[in-house]
Amino acid sequence: MSDNEQRTNAYPTPPFPEQPQTPPGLASEMDPVPDHGETSYKGHGRLTGKKALITGGDSGIGRAVAIAYACEGADVAINYLPEEEEDAAEVISLIKAEGRNAVALPGDVRDETFCQNLVEQAVGKLCGLDILVNNAGRQQYRETLEELTTEDFDSTFKTNVYAPFWITKAALRHMKAPASIINTSSVQAVKPSAVLLDYAQTKACLAVFTKALAKQLGPKGIRVNAVAPGPYWTVLQPSGGQPQEKVKHFGESTPLGRPGQPVEIAPLYVTLASDECSYTSGQVWCSDCGDGVI
């Protein structure tokens, strides 16, 4: 059996213990702790010399992408909320351990001015920008439309839709061919859960944003793609993203009978950012273990 087969078969399967956290939560407090590639991801120099900005880079998929990019030779700036500092500090240490430039940029992407400053700081400290990963996301379940407040709705859209718009617009002043923009959409864009009404809408917005922007930026040699994850074991889920009963059985209905680990999706972000993928743009790449919804 290969190393990959051993790792795939060894990943945890439900049921998981109930583990409510106050949002945004910490990956270090999850049970089991997700595999973001801290020791399991092996790089091949596919992003050597590139400069990347990743939002939501402290935990979950963003953390896995930050680790993978560093292992592949990129310098990496991560954005995260100040209350996620504990997780973020670990990521910064891991990036530095790969001999790469690591930049920590805490702050709330729901603020337009911060988003603009975020890009300027990243460009300044990285000495350029080749890859932008719009990954930061807000997911808070509500059982009914009546329970979904305007404040909830606004906060989800500001995080998941407005922030990528603001950040990308600011980043384009600094990006040139063969730069790459990658947005984190979701299978929720086409297969929405009843309790994730606002979240699903935002992920559909990101899929369309990706396809339209790819047409605008193609003539400039800048590629735009999205990744649409299915059930991945991230802190987004137990910190209000799902009811605890669903957290206990998260990923159970997939063909592998388990949720994906963040490290398992990071290679898609590496591929889309790499120069080898130079003819791929305007695509939404799904990773949901076989449901085939996108």
Side-chain angles (χ1 to χ4, degrees), residues 12-19 31-32 231-233 237-238 242-254 256-260:
T13 58
F16 303 124
E18 290 192 11
Q19 47 192 293
D31 182 12
Y232 274 83
W233 187 240
Q237 310 308 328
Q242 299 284 352
Q244 283 300 309
E245 188 59 31
K246 289 191 175 182
V247 172
K248 287 168 61 178
H249 299 281
F250 194 66
E252 194 172 67
S253 63
T254 68
L256 284 179
R258 64 168 178 83

Side-chain angles (χ1 to χ4, degrees), residues 13 51 64 70 72 83 87 110 122 136 193 196 202 209 221 245 279:
T13 58
K51 320 290 184 181
E72 296 288 354
E83 52 265 47
D87 280 348
R110 291 176 297 179
S193 298
L196 297 177
T202 64
F209 176 66
E245 188 59 31
Y279 198 64

Side-chain angles (χ1 to χ4, degrees), residues 105-120:
L105 299 170
D108 192 338
V109 295
R110 291 176 297 179
D111 180 83
E112 182 176 9
T113 299
F114 171 75
C115 287
Q116 294 167 346
N117 292 336
L118 169 67
V119 171
E120 296 306 314

Side-chain angles (χ1 to χ4, degrees), residues 145-188:
L145 182 63
E146 289 80 2
E147 294 175 20
L148 180 61
T149 66
T150 298
E151 183 181 10
D152 284 331
F153 191 83
D154 187 58
S155 187
T156 302
F157 267 80
K158 284 285 180 66
T159 304
N160 299 0
V161 177
Y162 278 65
F165 163 67
W166 290 328
I167 293 169
T168 302
K169 189 174 181 180
L172 286 177
R173 294 195 293 269
H174 305 282
M175 303 181 83
K176 58 184 180 181
S180 175
I181 299 168
I182 306 170
N183 302 311
T184 298
S185 181
S186 170
V187 296
Q188 289 289 325

Side-chain angles (χ1 to χ4, degrees), residues 230-283:
Y232 274 83
W233 187 240
T234 73
V235 75
L236 201 65
Q237 310 308 328
S239 60
Q242 299 284 352
Q244 283 300 309
E245 188 59 31
K246 289 191 175 182
V247 172
K248 287 168 61 178
H249 299 281
F250 194 66
E252 194 172 67
S253 63
T254 68
L256 284 179
R258 64 168 178 83
Q261 293 293 320
V263 68
E264 295 181 279
I265 202 170
L268 284 181
Y269 289 81
V270 170
T271 296
L272 290 172
S274 70
D275 292 340
E276 292 89 343
C277 212
S278 56
Y279 198 64
T280 299
S281 193
Q283 303 303 305

